[in-house]
Amino acid sequence: MPLALLALAIGAFGIGTTEFVIAGLLPEVATEFAVSIPAAGWLITGYALSVAVGALPMTALGNRMRRKQLLLLLMAIFIAGNVLSAVAPSYGVMMAGRIVTALCHGAFFGVGAVVASDLVKPEKKASAIALMFTGLTVANVLGVPMGTFIGQGLGWRATFWVVAGLGIVGLIGIAALVPEIARPAGGNLRAEFAVFRSVKVWLAVGTTVLGFGGVFASFTYVAPMMTEDAGLPESAISWLLVLFGIGMVFGNLLGGRFADRALMPTLYTSLGSLALVLVVFGFTAHWAVPAIITLFLLGGFAFSTTPPLQLRTLASASAAPTVASAVNIGAFNLGNALAAWLGGLVIAAGYGYAATNWAGAAMAVGALVLALISGRLDRRESSAAADTGLATVA
């Protein structure tokens, strides 16, 4: 694999770290700004919503730029947002820093996925995308625990200075290793957005919202689920999250490898397996050892969906891959927000933390149905093209 993919993965590592590390620093941030923990939690929600809203506009603004230039600009915005967070004198400025940082998130992964797929042979596209996304998964294994440790020892502001430093490393790596890739011919925004007239594009985006959202219906509430339902101590949560992250790394790499061989069958298998694991987790969450095993499997099957979901969107929107890819990254975060809300409704209705897994399973099944419909459209188009070819020969 090209070294340029390493540079993209470093950028992804920094972005993944800054997205999730705030969860481990909420008490410190809340104390600093004299706000409640729920109010500090809006720094997470605000980030996710900003990713979902900002992915498409940021990509559209960079539509006339070469992809390498756009990636460098996005990393510069990422660095600026983290510096703003590090020096924030008030909660409002801190939120502004989070929003600025989030604006580059969707566009970076969207453009980065297209660049990664362009750097390799067609049969290696999903593996290249998976390698870039490995930076995001490794962030959960190493970056978030490391950032939390630094923040608790040296103050939460130190964490954001370190993350800004990661951004600088990513910026240098992209500048040095990513080749110049010409912007798409035409650069006409109207033509780019015309791709969203395709039913298959919307099916692909909807599959992402429901499929990855199913994961977060469960994962958002994993801490109280594992302590109150499975009976594990609060001190176990840190290593449980690392275990979940290790599952993500393996699932992501395997999902990319199998998607290169057979995209749609891999997507069907990943979504079906994800739904099954979530159903099982609804039962095993009440016992410590089975819950731990299921949590690891959830991490694996959760991110086994990422490469095929992203590659499916690229394949469905070949006329405008950059814009569609960025929209799909926004769909991941929209699914996260929707799932967290849905899981909250389940808990508020009195069904308990473990029942959020069943809500997630329902979302995953919905994603599988959309994927099956999309695959059927593929077969119908192929059959129609074959019939046209035979008629022409005749």
Side-chain angles (χ1 to χ4, degrees):
M1 287 289 181
L3 280 176
L5 292 175
L6 176 60
L8 294 173
I10 292 172
F13 177 82
I15 292 174
T17 299
T18 203
E19 178 180 15
F20 297 114
V21 75
I22 188 69
L25 300 174
L26 284 185
E28 289 82 3
V29 173
T31 300
E32 173 89 14
F33 296 129
V35 298
S36 66
I37 291 291
W42 275 98
L43 295 170
I44 299 173
T45 305
Y47 185 99
L49 292 176
S50 297
V51 173
V53 172
L56 183 56
M58 288 297 293
T59 304
L61 286 173
N63 189 60
R64 295 187 177 276
M65 299 176 65
R66 292 182 177 179
R67 285 169 177 163
K68 179 175 180 176
Q69 292 175 328
L70 181 54
L71 287 171
L72 291 172
L73 174 61
L74 293 170
M75 288 309 299
I77 294 172
F78 170 81
I79 295 166
N82 280 286
V83 169
L84 183 59
S85 296
V87 302
S90 66
Y91 175 82
V93 176
M94 178 69 175
M95 179 64 79
R98 295 288 289 168
I99 291 173
V100 169
T101 307
L103 288 177
C104 78
H105 181 127
F108 180 86
F109 280 105
V111 176
V114 175
V115 170
S117 65
D118 284 345
L119 290 172
V120 297
K121 297 177 180 179
E123 64 271 18
K124 295 291 185 181
K125 287 182 180 293
S127 293
I129 292 172
L131 186 56
M132 188 195 78
F133 274 86
T134 297
L136 180 62
T137 59
V138 172
N140 286 275
V141 179
L142 298 177
V144 173
M146 177 188 70
T148 302
F149 177 78
I150 292 172
Q152 291 174 344
L154 301 176
W156 64 266
R157 294 180 188 275
T159 297
F160 287 95
W161 283 114
V162 170
V163 174
L166 288 174
I168 294 173
V169 173
L171 180 73
I172 294 171
I174 291 170
L177 299 175
V178 174
E180 290 287 352
I181 300 175
R183 66 180 178 84
N188 188 310
L189 277 180
R190 181 175 296 180
E192 288 268 315
F193 284 110
V195 76
F196 292 106
R197 296 173 186 169
S198 168
V199 174
K200 288 202 298 183
V201 171
W202 286 111
L203 285 172
V205 172
T207 302
T208 298
V209 171
L210 293 178
F212 208 71
V215 178
F216 272 77
S218 168
F219 184 68
T220 300
Y221 305 99
V222 71
M225 189 190 311
M226 299 301 279
T227 54
E228 297 189 23
D229 289 345
L232 291 163
E234 291 186 2
S235 59
I237 297 301
S238 295
W239 67 260
L240 286 173
L241 294 180
V242 171
L243 183 68
F244 179 83
I246 292 171
M248 290 166 60
V249 172
F250 282 107
N252 178 56
L253 293 175
L254 288 174
R257 176 171 295 184
F258 283 108
D260 278 328
R261 299 175 183 175
L263 174 58
M264 294 309 289
T266 298
L267 184 56
Y268 301 150
T269 302
S270 295
L271 290 172
S273 300
L274 175 61
L276 179 61
V277 168
L278 284 164
V279 169
V280 171
F281 204 8
F283 295 101
T284 61
H286 298 287
W287 296 278
V289 174
I292 292 168
I293 295 171
T294 313
L295 182 65
F296 173 77
L297 293 175
L298 177 61
F301 285 113
F303 263 73
S304 71
T305 65
T306 302
L309 283 171
Q310 194 69 7
L311 189 58
R312 177 59 183 170
T313 302
L314 293 177
S316 301
S318 56
T322 305
V323 169
S325 180
V327 168
N328 202 49
I329 296 299
F332 279 106
N333 284 269
L334 179 61
N336 296 352
L338 176 64
W341 172 76
L342 181 61
L345 290 181
V346 170
I347 295 168
Y351 293 106
Y353 294 113
T356 60
N357 292 294
W358 293 331
M363 294 182 73
V365 169
L368 178 58
V369 170
L370 293 182
L372 289 168
I373 293 171
S374 184
R376 185 173 182 180
L377 289 178
D378 280 348
R379 292 190 293 273
R380 184 179 298 175
E381 290 176 1
S382 297
S383 178
D387 290 343
T388 301
L390 288 174
T392 301
V393 172

